[in-house]
Amino acid sequence: MSAIDPEIAGQLASDLPREDFVRILRTFEDDLGRLARLLEEAVAAGDEEGYRRSAHSLAGAAAAVGARRLEQVARIAMDHRNAADPRALALQVRQEAAQALAELSALAEHPPGAS
């Protein structure tokens, strides 16, 4: 199973000029990496509000680019009713973010429909 929903990436690729598609993917790469780091830093500092805020931002960014598994883990992390260990969820976020980032990078290098 891919970390990035190919339908969303394909739709973006078909709707946008190639250079805009690549620019957007690079922006998401930066955002996902930064937000995953912020979530980990909040866990390390015991900052529950920062943890949930980072998870919320991460879920939104992941959804926009079709990183479904990352979005799901981030949504679990942002749910205050969830009793899961934040350190374990932060590790899952990092793993899913790494996979999504690798796929975003590959898409930026070889966008769908590029010759």
Side-chain angles (χ1 to χ4, degrees), residues 5-6 19 21 37 45 50 55-56 58 60 64 78 83 87 90 92 106 109 111:
D5 185 329
E19 58 277 357
F21 177 73
R37 281 189 304 279
H56 183 268
L58 191 55
M78 67 187 250
R87 292 174 300 230
Q92 274 188 281
E109 291 299 318

Side-chain angles (χ1 to χ4, degrees), residues 12-14 17-19 31 35 38 50 53 59 65-68 71 77 83 90 92 95 100 102 105 107 113 115:
L12 283 172
S14 68
R18 184 181 191 281
E19 58 277 357
D31 287 348
L35 292 168
L38 288 173
R53 189 174 45 251
V65 76
R68 298 290 187 219
E71 177 190 3
Q92 274 188 281
Q95 291 167 342
S105 182
L107 277 174
S115 41

Side-chain angles (χ1 to χ4, degrees), residues 87-109:
R87 292 174 300 230
L89 284 174
L91 178 60
Q92 274 188 281
V93 163
R94 176 50 67 189
Q95 291 167 342
E96 293 299 338
Q99 184 65 37
L101 290 169
E103 290 185 25
L104 285 173
S105 182
L107 277 174
E109 291 299 318

Side-chain angles (χ1 to χ4, degrees), residues 30 32-42 54 93-94:
D30 293 343
L32 292 181
R34 177 182 55 80
L35 292 168
R37 281 189 304 279
L38 288 173
L39 185 128
E40 290 173 336
E41 290 168 3
S54 296
V93 163
R94 176 50 67 189

